[in-house]
Amino acid sequence: LLLCAAVPPQRDAEKDTTAILQANYLYNIAKLVEWKDPTMRTGNFIIGVVGGANLYQELIKQYSTRTIGKQPIEVRKLPRSATVDRCHILFVGQSDIALMPEIYRNLAGKSTLIITEYPDALEDGSVANFVRTDNTLKYEMSVVNARKHKLEVALTLKQLALRVEE
C-alpha cells in the first residue's frame, strides 16, 4: 500500500483514516442513491464539503476523476456558511455543527443528501450520519429524511447501515 509512506505521526493518522473511510462511504452512498429530481441528473455530480479539510483532500485525491452514473464528480470546498449552492451531497463536519439548523432550513425540500457526523443528526434532519462504534466508523441512515429530499435509497445501503430510520 503506497499510502504508508505518507502517513503522518500517529495522532494525525487516525484522522486521516477517518477521512479515507468517510470518502469511501460518500462515494458508495452516492452510487446507491437515486436523485428523483430530473434537474439533478445533468451536469456534474457535486459533492460539497463544509469543514472536514482532510475529507475534502481525500475526495479530490480518490474520486475527482470518477463519475456517478454518467455525471463527472466535482468536489467543492464550501465556506463555513449556512447558504449552500446546489449540490448532490453536502457533508458538514463536526466543527460546523452550529450551522446545521439553518442548513436544514435552507435545504428543506431540495434534492440534497445531507451527511453529518454528530449524535442525533437523523432526528434533526440529516439523511446519513457517521457514527463510531467499537472504534469503527459506520453510518446511520434516515429513509424518511431521504424522501423529504426526493431521494430513493437502495436496499443495499439500508442493509449496510448501522441503524435505519424508516
Side-chain angles (χ1 to χ4, degrees):
L1 187 68
L2 292 172
L3 285 176
C4 293
V7 172
Q10 200 52 45
R11 211 182 84 239
D12 294 331
E14 184 186 87
K15 256 190 258 170
D16 292 342
T17 306
T18 299
I20 291 166
L21 287 169
Q22 287 178 333
N24 190 2
Y25 273 133
L26 276 176
Y27 177 70
N28 286 301
I29 286 171
K31 291 194 308 187
L32 293 168
V33 169
E34 187 186 336
W35 277 256
K36 293 292 191 187
D37 180 344
T39 64
M40 299 303 271
R41 295 193 195 139
T42 58
N44 289 349
F45 186 94
I46 301 163
I47 300 174
V49 180
V50 176
N54 289 352
L55 172 62
Y56 170 75
Q57 296 299 333
E58 203 52 48
L59 284 166
I60 290 285
K61 197 163 67 185
Q62 301 289 338
Y63 301 104
S64 60
T65 57
R66 301 207 189 170
T67 59
I68 297 296
K70 292 182 170 37
Q71 295 173 272
I73 294 175
E74 179 185 334
V75 184
R76 292 185 185 164
K77 181 86 175 107
L78 302 176
R80 288 192 153 89
S81 159
T83 309
V84 176
D85 289 336
R86 171 187 181 269
C87 44
H88 293 76
I89 293 180
L90 174 67
F91 172 83
V92 182
Q94 179 94 39
S95 56
D96 294 293
I97 190 172
L99 296 171
M100 290 317 299
E102 204 177 330
I103 287 175
Y104 289 131
R105 273 196 303 280
N106 292 344
L107 293 177
K110 292 199 174 112
S111 203
T112 300
L113 196 161
I114 302 169
I115 301 183
T116 49
E117 55 176 354
Y118 69 93
D120 301 326
L122 298 185
E123 288 70 16
D124 292 348
S126 188
V127 176
N129 185 51
F130 291 123
V131 288
R132 282 209 167 274
T133 47
D134 305 326
N135 220 9
T136 308
L137 187 73
K138 306 255 184 187
Y139 67 92
E140 51 187 9
M141 188 116 226
S142 169
V143 176
V144 176
N145 294 342
R147 278 195 206 104
K148 288 180 188 167
H149 289 277
K150 305 179 197 86
L151 305 169
E152 192 63 45
V153 179
L155 182 61
T156 313
L157 202 53
K158 294 184 221 174
Q159 289 169 336
L160 294 173
L162 178 68
R163 177 173 79 93
V164 177
E165 279 188 3
E166 292 282 353

